[in-house]
Amino acid sequence: MIVLGLTGSIGMGKSTTAAMFRDAGAPVWDADATVHRLYAPGGAAVAPVEAAFPGVVKDGGVDRPALSARLRAEPEGFRRLEAIVHPLVQADRHAFLTQAEAAEEPVVVLDIPLLFETGAADLVDAVVVVTAPDYVQRRRVLARPDMDEAKFAALLERQTPDAHKVARADFVIDTSFGLDHARHAVDEVLDTVGAPGWTPRRRGALHGKGEALQ
């Protein structure tokens, strides 16, 4: 089973591209969606997060704006949060891969926004980076509700620069050329990795412990 790591900075079109991989038949594991489930009412992260950050749970689930505000006030809290969330995210990813292997899926996609930042790029068979020119990224991001220049800048500071991601990618998909172009690029990636003789990058133990995927 080929494991692709999909990543891209905010506003580059990663979520849309992930949906294209899914539409093309490749199961996709979404790290962000996993965290949302963990934070939702009844989610496994709710109780331990409330214990670590009292007052951030509302209506049975983690209130993300409240948690973000707490972390801005207590930057050291990121480590406490990661110690809670990372093992739960890894367990969910492990279950996804196990199910995919049992189903004999030829290719799966791990959609991980911080693929490089967490070292997860070293654990997959190939990395797909979704990109777009700076001006396109800025226009897309600043069009989002409740987004401004300061928030945009803060988000970029936490992410590996786009040029560095592109330089380390096995495949690059530029979403600035439109949806049809992106779909064609997705099909090309799947055709390439599915071809006889294609050689993946060195991959670690995806089912092992210790990787900090998020």
mmCIF file with all atom_site columns, all heavy atoms in Angstrom, residues 8-31:
data_model
loop_
_atom_site.group_PDB
_atom_site.id
_atom_site.type_symbol
_atom_site.label_atom_id
_atom_site.label_alt_id
_atom_site.label_comp_id
_atom_site.label_asym_id
_atom_site.label_entity_id
_atom_site.label_seq_id
_atom_site.pdbx_PDB_ins_code
_atom_site.Cartn_x
_atom_site.Cartn_y
_atom_site.Cartn_z
_atom_site.occupancy
_atom_site.B_iso_or_equiv
_atom_site.pdbx_formal_charge
_atom_site.auth_seq_id
_atom_site.auth_comp_id
_atom_site.auth_asym_id
_atom_site.auth_atom_id
_atom_site.pdbx_PDB_model_num
ATOM 1   N N   . GLY A 1 8  ? 0.200   21.543 2.588  1.00 0.00 ? 8  GLY A N   1
ATOM 2   C CA  . GLY A 1 8  ? 0.195   22.840 1.916  1.00 0.00 ? 8  GLY A CA  1
ATOM 3   C C   . GLY A 1 8  ? -0.151  23.906 2.927  1.00 0.00 ? 8  GLY A C   1
ATOM 4   O O   . GLY A 1 8  ? -0.880  23.658 3.887  1.00 0.00 ? 8  GLY A O   1
ATOM 5   N N   . SER A 1 9  ? 0.365   25.095 2.730  1.00 0.00 ? 9  SER A N   1
ATOM 6   C CA  . SER A 1 9  ? 0.096   26.195 3.647  1.00 0.00 ? 9  SER A CA  1
ATOM 7   C C   . SER A 1 9  ? -1.348  26.650 3.532  1.00 0.00 ? 9  SER A C   1
ATOM 8   O O   . SER A 1 9  ? -2.062  26.303 2.581  1.00 0.00 ? 9  SER A O   1
ATOM 9   C CB  . SER A 1 9  ? 1.039   27.363 3.353  1.00 0.00 ? 9  SER A CB  1
ATOM 10  O OG  . SER A 1 9  ? 2.387   26.973 3.527  1.00 0.00 ? 9  SER A OG  1
ATOM 11  N N   . ILE A 1 10 ? -1.780  27.452 4.491  1.00 0.00 ? 10 ILE A N   1
ATOM 12  C CA  . ILE A 1 10 ? -3.135  27.964 4.499  1.00 0.00 ? 10 ILE A CA  1
ATOM 13  C C   . ILE A 1 10 ? -3.444  28.710 3.204  1.00 0.00 ? 10 ILE A C   1
ATOM 14  O O   . ILE A 1 10 ? -2.617  29.448 2.684  1.00 0.00 ? 10 ILE A O   1
ATOM 15  C CB  . ILE A 1 10 ? -3.347  28.896 5.719  1.00 0.00 ? 10 ILE A CB  1
ATOM 16  C CG1 . ILE A 1 10 ? -4.804  29.388 5.776  1.00 0.00 ? 10 ILE A CG1 1
ATOM 17  C CG2 . ILE A 1 10 ? -2.369  30.070 5.701  1.00 0.00 ? 10 ILE A CG2 1
ATOM 18  C CD1 . ILE A 1 10 ? -5.125  30.156 7.035  1.00 0.00 ? 10 ILE A CD1 1
ATOM 19  N N   . GLY A 1 11 ? -4.624  28.471 2.661  1.00 0.00 ? 11 GLY A N   1
ATOM 20  C CA  . GLY A 1 11 ? -5.058  29.168 1.464  1.00 0.00 ? 11 GLY A CA  1
ATOM 21  C C   . GLY A 1 11 ? -4.545  28.620 0.161  1.00 0.00 ? 11 GLY A C   1
ATOM 22  O O   . GLY A 1 11 ? -4.822  29.173 -0.905 1.00 0.00 ? 11 GLY A O   1
ATOM 23  N N   . MET A 1 12 ? -3.823  27.516 0.199  1.00 0.00 ? 12 MET A N   1
ATOM 24  C CA  . MET A 1 12 ? -3.247  26.963 -1.028 1.00 0.00 ? 12 MET A CA  1
ATOM 25  C C   . MET A 1 12 ? -4.203  26.021 -1.773 1.00 0.00 ? 12 MET A C   1
ATOM 26  O O   . MET A 1 12 ? -3.955  25.667 -2.920 1.00 0.00 ? 12 MET A O   1
ATOM 27  C CB  . MET A 1 12 ? -1.948  26.211 -0.714 1.00 0.00 ? 12 MET A CB  1
ATOM 28  C CG  . MET A 1 12 ? -0.827  27.107 -0.211 1.00 0.00 ? 12 MET A CG  1
ATOM 29  S SD  . MET A 1 12 ? -0.444  28.430 -1.388 1.00 0.00 ? 12 MET A SD  1
ATOM 30  C CE  . MET A 1 12 ? 1.129   29.005 -0.741 1.00 0.00 ? 12 MET A CE  1
ATOM 31  N N   . GLY A 1 13 ? -5.281  25.595 -1.108 1.00 0.00 ? 13 GLY A N   1
ATOM 32  C CA  . GLY A 1 13 ? -6.223  24.697 -1.764 1.00 0.00 ? 13 GLY A CA  1
ATOM 33  C C   . GLY A 1 13 ? -6.048  23.243 -1.393 1.00 0.00 ? 13 GLY A C   1
ATOM 34  O O   . GLY A 1 13 ? -6.494  22.353 -2.119 1.00 0.00 ? 13 GLY A O   1
ATOM 35  N N   . LYS A 1 14 ? -5.427  22.989 -0.242 1.00 0.00 ? 14 LYS A N   1
ATOM 36  C CA  . LYS A 1 14 ? -5.163  21.603 0.161  1.00 0.00 ? 14 LYS A CA  1
ATOM 37  C C   . LYS A 1 14 ? -6.437  20.804 0.388  1.00 0.00 ? 14 LYS A C   1
ATOM 38  O O   . LYS A 1 14 ? -6.531  19.649 -0.030 1.00 0.00 ? 14 LYS A O   1
ATOM 39  C CB  . LYS A 1 14 ? -4.296  21.581 1.419  1.00 0.00 ? 14 LYS A CB  1
ATOM 40  C CG  . LYS A 1 14 ? -3.967  20.170 1.919  1.00 0.00 ? 14 LYS A CG  1
ATOM 41  C CD  . LYS A 1 14 ? -3.125  20.215 3.168  1.00 0.00 ? 14 LYS A CD  1
ATOM 42  C CE  . LYS A 1 14 ? -3.859  20.879 4.313  1.00 0.00 ? 14 LYS A CE  1
ATOM 43  N NZ  . LYS A 1 14 ? -5.122  20.159 4.671  1.00 0.00 ? 14 LYS A NZ  1
ATOM 44  N N   . SER A 1 15 ? -7.415  21.407 1.048  1.00 0.00 ? 15 SER A N   1
ATOM 45  C CA  . SER A 1 15 ? -8.648  20.677 1.343  1.00 0.00 ? 15 SER A CA  1
ATOM 46  C C   . SER A 1 15 ? -9.386  20.297 0.063  1.00 0.00 ? 15 SER A C   1
ATOM 47  O O   . SER A 1 15 ? -9.909  19.185 -0.066 1.00 0.00 ? 15 SER A O   1
ATOM 48  C CB  . SER A 1 15 ? -9.566  21.517 2.243  1.00 0.00 ? 15 SER A CB  1
ATOM 49  O OG  . SER A 1 15 ? -8.976  21.736 3.500  1.00 0.00 ? 15 SER A OG  1
ATOM 50  N N   . THR A 1 16 ? -9.409  21.215 -0.895 1.00 0.00 ? 16 THR A N   1
ATOM 51  C CA  . THR A 1 16 ? -10.038 20.919 -2.184 1.00 0.00 ? 16 THR A CA  1
ATOM 52  C C   . THR A 1 16 ? -9.292  19.810 -2.901 1.00 0.00 ? 16 THR A C   1
ATOM 53  O O   . THR A 1 16 ? -9.900  18.908 -3.500 1.00 0.00 ? 16 THR A O   1
ATOM 54  C CB  . THR A 1 16 ? -10.063 22.188 -3.057 1.00 0.00 ? 16 THR A CB  1
ATOM 55  O OG1 . THR A 1 16 ? -10.826 23.196 -2.393 1.00 0.00 ? 16 THR A OG1 1
ATOM 56  C CG2 . THR A 1 16 ? -10.681 21.903 -4.411 1.00 0.00 ? 16 THR A CG2 1
ATOM 57  N N   . THR A 1 17 ? -7.968  19.844 -2.829 1.00 0.00 ? 17 THR A N   1
ATOM 58  C CA  . THR A 1 17 ? -7.162  18.801 -3.475 1.00 0.00 ? 17 THR A CA  1
ATOM 59  C C   . THR A 1 17 ? -7.363  17.460 -2.789 1.00 0.00 ? 17 THR A C   1
ATOM 60  O O   . THR A 1 17 ? -7.435  16.418 -3.449 1.00 0.00 ? 17 THR A O   1
ATOM 61  C CB  . THR A 1 17 ? -5.681  19.200 -3.458 1.00 0.00 ? 17 THR A CB  1
ATOM 62  O OG1 . THR A 1 17 ? -5.530  20.484 -4.071 1.00 0.00 ? 17 THR A OG1 1
ATOM 63  C CG2 . THR A 1 17 ? -4.834  18.184 -4.208 1.00 0.00 ? 17 THR A CG2 1
ATOM 64  N N   . ALA A 1 18 ? -7.464  17.463 -1.467 1.00 0.00 ? 18 ALA A N   1
ATOM 65  C CA  . ALA A 1 18 ? -7.727  16.217 -0.740 1.00 0.00 ? 18 ALA A CA  1
ATOM 66  C C   . ALA A 1 18 ? -9.040  15.603 -1.201 1.00 0.00 ? 18 ALA A C   1
ATOM 67  O O   . ALA A 1 18 ? -9.149  14.376 -1.366 1.00 0.00 ? 18 ALA A O   1
ATOM 68  C CB  . ALA A 1 18 ? -7.758  16.482 0.760  1.00 0.00 ? 18 ALA A CB  1
ATOM 69  N N   . ALA A 1 19 ? -10.051 16.444 -1.402 1.00 0.00 ? 19 ALA A N   1
ATOM 70  C CA  . ALA A 1 19 ? -11.335 15.947 -1.889 1.00 0.00 ? 19 ALA A CA  1
ATOM 71  C C   . ALA A 1 19 ? -11.200 15.330 -3.278 1.00 0.00 ? 19 ALA A C   1
ATOM 72  O O   . ALA A 1 19 ? -11.877 14.340 -3.606 1.00 0.00 ? 19 ALA A O   1
ATOM 73  C CB  . ALA A 1 19 ? -12.355 17.079 -1.913 1.00 0.00 ? 19 ALA A CB  1
ATOM 74  N N   . MET A 1 20 ? -10.309 15.869 -4.086 1.00 0.00 ? 20 MET A N   1
ATOM 75  C CA  . MET A 1 20 ? -10.080 15.314 -5.422 1.00 0.00 ? 20 MET A CA  1
ATOM 76  C C   . MET A 1 20 ? -9.443  13.937 -5.336 1.00 0.00 ? 20 MET A C   1
ATOM 77  O O   . MET A 1 20 ? -9.786  13.036 -6.111 1.00 0.00 ? 20 MET A O   1
ATOM 78  C CB  . MET A 1 20 ? -9.199  16.263 -6.235 1.00 0.00 ? 20 MET A CB  1
ATOM 79  C CG  . MET A 1 20 ? -9.887  17.563 -6.597 1.00 0.00 ? 20 MET A CG  1
ATOM 80  S SD  . MET A 1 20 ? -8.755  18.686 -7.492 1.00 0.00 ? 20 MET A SD  1
ATOM 81  C CE  . MET A 1 20 ? -9.838  20.095 -7.743 1.00 0.00 ? 20 MET A CE  1
ATOM 82  N N   . PHE A 1 21 ? -8.500  13.761 -4.411 1.00 0.00 ? 21 PHE A N   1
ATOM 83  C CA  . PHE A 1 21 ? -7.922  12.425 -4.210 1.00 0.00 ? 21 PHE A CA  1
ATOM 84  C C   . PHE A 1 21 ? -9.004  11.446 -3.771 1.00 0.00 ? 21 PHE A C   1
ATOM 85  O O   . PHE A 1 21 ? -9.056  10.302 -4.231 1.00 0.00 ? 21 PHE A O   1
ATOM 86  C CB  . PHE A 1 21 ? -6.810  12.474 -3.156 1.00 0.00 ? 21 PHE A CB  1
ATOM 87  C CG  . PHE A 1 21 ? -5.465  12.838 -3.702 1.00 0.00 ? 21 PHE A CG  1
ATOM 88  C CD1 . PHE A 1 21 ? -4.940  14.108 -3.520 1.00 0.00 ? 21 PHE A CD1 1
ATOM 89  C CD2 . PHE A 1 21 ? -4.709  11.904 -4.401 1.00 0.00 ? 21 PHE A CD2 1
ATOM 90  C CE1 . PHE A 1 21 ? -3.690  14.446 -4.018 1.00 0.00 ? 21 PHE A CE1 1
ATOM 91  C CE2 . PHE A 1 21 ? -3.457  12.224 -4.912 1.00 0.00 ? 21 PHE A CE2 1
ATOM 92  C CZ  . PHE A 1 21 ? -2.942  13.504 -4.716 1.00 0.00 ? 21 PHE A CZ  1
ATOM 93  N N   . ARG A 1 22 ? -9.873  11.904 -2.875 1.00 0.00 ? 22 ARG A N   1
ATOM 94  C CA  . ARG A 1 22 ? -10.961 11.046 -2.391 1.00 0.00 ? 22 ARG A CA  1
ATOM 95  C C   . ARG A 1 22 ? -11.895 10.678 -3.548 1.00 0.00 ? 22 ARG A C   1
ATOM 96  O O   . ARG A 1 22 ? -12.297 9.514  -3.693 1.00 0.00 ? 22 ARG A O   1
ATOM 97  C CB  . ARG A 1 22 ? -11.713 11.759 -1.270 1.00 0.00 ? 22 ARG A CB  1
ATOM 98  C CG  . ARG A 1 22 ? -12.682 10.880 -0.503 1.00 0.00 ? 22 ARG A CG  1
ATOM 99  C CD  . ARG A 1 22 ? -13.337 11.648 0.624  1.00 0.00 ? 22 ARG A CD  1
ATOM 100 N NE  . ARG A 1 22 ? -12.414 11.936 1.716  1.00 0.00 ? 22 ARG A NE  1
ATOM 101 C CZ  . ARG A 1 22 ? -11.953 13.133 2.023  1.00 0.00 ? 22 ARG A CZ  1
ATOM 102 N NH1 . ARG A 1 22 ? -12.309 14.184 1.304  1.00 0.00 ? 22 ARG A NH1 1
ATOM 103 N NH2 . ARG A 1 22 ? -11.127 13.313 3.041  1.00 0.00 ? 22 ARG A NH2 1
ATOM 104 N N   . ASP A 1 23 ? -12.235 11.665 -4.377 1.00 0.00 ? 23 ASP A N   1
ATOM 105 C CA  . ASP A 1 23 ? -13.114 11.409 -5.518 1.00 0.00 ? 23 ASP A CA  1
ATOM 106 C C   . ASP A 1 23 ? -12.481 10.451 -6.518 1.00 0.00 ? 23 ASP A C   1
ATOM 107 O O   . ASP A 1 23 ? -13.182 9.710  -7.224 1.00 0.00 ? 23 ASP A O   1
ATOM 108 C CB  . ASP A 1 23 ? -13.455 12.726 -6.228 1.00 0.00 ? 23 ASP A CB  1
ATOM 109 C CG  . ASP A 1 23 ? -14.362 13.623 -5.402 1.00 0.00 ? 23 ASP A CG  1
ATOM 110 O OD1 . ASP A 1 23 ? -14.989 13.123 -4.439 1.00 0.00 ? 23 ASP A OD1 1
ATOM 111 O OD2 . ASP A 1 23 ? -14.435 14.836 -5.715 1.00 0.00 ? 23 ASP A OD2 1
ATOM 112 N N   . ALA A 1 24 ? -11.151 10.462 -6.576 1.00 0.00 ? 24 ALA A N   1
ATOM 113 C CA  . ALA A 1 24 ? -10.431 9.581  -7.500 1.00 0.00 ? 24 ALA A CA  1
ATOM 114 C C   . ALA A 1 24 ? -10.297 8.163  -6.944 1.00 0.00 ? 24 ALA A C   1
ATOM 115 O O   . ALA A 1 24 ? -9.743  7.288  -7.616 1.00 0.00 ? 24 ALA A O   1
ATOM 116 C CB  . ALA A 1 24 ? -9.051  10.150 -7.808 1.00 0.00 ? 24 ALA A CB  1
ATOM 117 N N   . GLY A 1 25 ? -10.793 7.933  -5.728 1.00 0.00 ? 25 GLY A N   1
ATOM 118 C CA  . GLY A 1 25 ? -10.803 6.588  -5.166 1.00 0.00 ? 25 GLY A CA  1
ATOM 119 C C   . GLY A 1 25 ? -9.779  6.318  -4.091 1.00 0.00 ? 25 GLY A C   1
ATOM 120 O O   . GLY A 1 25 ? -9.719  5.183  -3.573 1.00 0.00 ? 25 GLY A O   1
ATOM 121 N N   . ALA A 1 26 ? -8.960  7.310  -3.723 1.00 0.00 ? 26 ALA A N   1
ATOM 122 C CA  . ALA A 1 26 ? -7.945  7.099  -2.689 1.00 0.00 ? 26 ALA A CA  1
ATOM 123 C C   . ALA A 1 26 ? -8.520  7.511  -1.329 1.00 0.00 ? 26 ALA A C   1
ATOM 124 O O   . ALA A 1 26 ? -8.898  8.669  -1.148 1.00 0.00 ? 26 ALA A O   1
ATOM 125 C CB  . ALA A 1 26 ? -6.700  7.923  -2.990 1.00 0.00 ? 26 ALA A CB  1
ATOM 126 N N   . PRO A 1 27 ? -8.578  6.607  -0.364 1.00 0.00 ? 27 PRO A N   1
ATOM 127 C CA  . PRO A 1 27 ? -9.038  6.993  0.977  1.00 0.00 ? 27 PRO A CA  1
ATOM 128 C C   . PRO A 1 27 ? -8.131  8.064  1.555  1.00 0.00 ? 27 PRO A C   1
ATOM 129 O O   . PRO A 1 27 ? -6.916  8.023  1.400  1.00 0.00 ? 27 PRO A O   1
ATOM 130 C CB  . PRO A 1 27 ? -8.930  5.684  1.774  1.00 0.00 ? 27 PRO A CB  1
ATOM 131 C CG  . PRO A 1 27 ? -8.966  4.602  0.751  1.00 0.00 ? 27 PRO A CG  1
ATOM 132 C CD  . PRO A 1 27 ? -8.269  5.175  -0.451 1.00 0.00 ? 27 PRO A CD  1
ATOM 133 N N   . VAL A 1 28 ? -8.733  9.052  2.229  1.00 0.00 ? 28 VAL A N   1
ATOM 134 C CA  . VAL A 1 28 ? -7.987  10.177 2.782  1.00 0.00 ? 28 VAL A CA  1
ATOM 135 C C   . VAL A 1 28 ? -8.219  10.256 4.285  1.00 0.00 ? 28 VAL A C   1
ATOM 136 O O   . VAL A 1 28 ? -9.362  10.264 4.748  1.00 0.00 ? 28 VAL A O   1
ATOM 137 C CB  . VAL A 1 28 ? -8.409  11.506 2.131  1.00 0.00 ? 28 VAL A CB  1
ATOM 138 C CG1 . VAL A 1 28 ? -7.672  12.678 2.783  1.00 0.00 ? 28 VAL A CG1 1
ATOM 139 C CG2 . VAL A 1 28 ? -8.138  11.479 0.624  1.00 0.00 ? 28 VAL A CG2 1
ATOM 140 N N   . TRP A 1 29 ? -7.123  10.309 5.032  1.00 0.00 ? 29 TRP A N   1
ATOM 141 C CA  . TRP A 1 29 ? -7.190  10.566 6.473  1.00 0.00 ? 29 TRP A CA  1
ATOM 142 C C   . TRP A 1 29 ? -6.865  12.024 6.701  1.00 0.00 ? 29 TRP A C   1
ATOM 143 O O   . TRP A 1 29 ? -5.827  12.517 6.264  1.00 0.00 ? 29 TRP A O   1
ATOM 144 C CB  . TRP A 1 29 ? -6.194  9.681  7.219  1.00 0.00 ? 29 TRP A CB  1
ATOM 145 C CG  . TRP A 1 29 ? -6.186  9.910  8.709  1.00 0.00 ? 29 TRP A CG  1
ATOM 146 C CD1 . TRP A 1 29 ? -7.066  9.417  9.624  1.00 0.00 ? 29 TRP A CD1 1
ATOM 147 C CD2 . TRP A 1 29 ? -5.234  10.690 9.447  1.00 0.00 ? 29 TRP A CD2 1
ATOM 148 N NE1 . TRP A 1 29 ? -6.733  9.841  10.895 1.00 0.00 ? 29 TRP A NE1 1
ATOM 149 C CE2 . TRP A 1 29 ? -5.614  10.623 10.810 1.00 0.00 ? 29 TRP A CE2 1
ATOM 150 C CE3 . TRP A 1 29 ? -4.112  11.443 9.096  1.00 0.00 ? 29 TRP A CE3 1
ATOM 151 C CZ2 . TRP A 1 29 ? -4.903  11.281 11.812 1.00 0.00 ? 29 TRP A CZ2 1
ATOM 152 C CZ3 . TRP A 1 29 ? -3.410  12.102 10.095 1.00 0.00 ? 29 TRP A CZ3 1
ATOM 153 C CH2 . TRP A 1 29 ? -3.801  12.007 11.435 1.00 0.00 ? 29 TRP A CH2 1
ATOM 154 N N   . ASP A 1 30 ? -7.778  12.739 7.376  1.00 0.00 ? 30 ASP A N   1
ATOM 155 C CA  . ASP A 1 30 ? -7.673  14.180 7.560  1.00 0.00 ? 30 ASP A CA  1
ATOM 156 C C   . ASP A 1 30 ? -7.309  14.475 9.012  1.00 0.00 ? 30 ASP A C   1
ATOM 157 O O   . ASP A 1 30 ? -8.116  14.255 9.921  1.00 0.00 ? 30 ASP A O   1
ATOM 158 C CB  . ASP A 1 30 ? -9.017  14.812 7.192  1.00 0.00 ? 30 ASP A CB  1
ATOM 159 C CG  . ASP A 1 30 ? -8.991  16.336 7.209  1.00 0.00 ? 30 ASP A CG  1
ATOM 160 O OD1 . ASP A 1 30 ? -8.224  16.907 8.009  1.00 0.00 ? 30 ASP A OD1 1
ATOM 161 O OD2 . ASP A 1 30 ? -9.740  16.949 6.435  1.00 0.00 ? 30 ASP A OD2 1
ATOM 162 N N   . ALA A 1 31 ? -6.105  14.988 9.234  1.00 0.00 ? 31 ALA A N   1
ATOM 163 C CA  . ALA A 1 31 ? -5.647  15.267 10.592 1.00 0.00 ? 31 ALA A CA  1
ATOM 164 C C   . ALA A 1 31 ? -6.515  16.320 11.268 1.00 0.00 ? 31 ALA A C   1
ATOM 165 O O   . ALA A 1 31 ? -6.867  16.192 12.443 1.00 0.00 ? 31 ALA A O   1
ATOM 166 C CB  . ALA A 1 31 ? -4.185  15.710 10.580 1.00 0.00 ? 31 ALA A CB  1
#
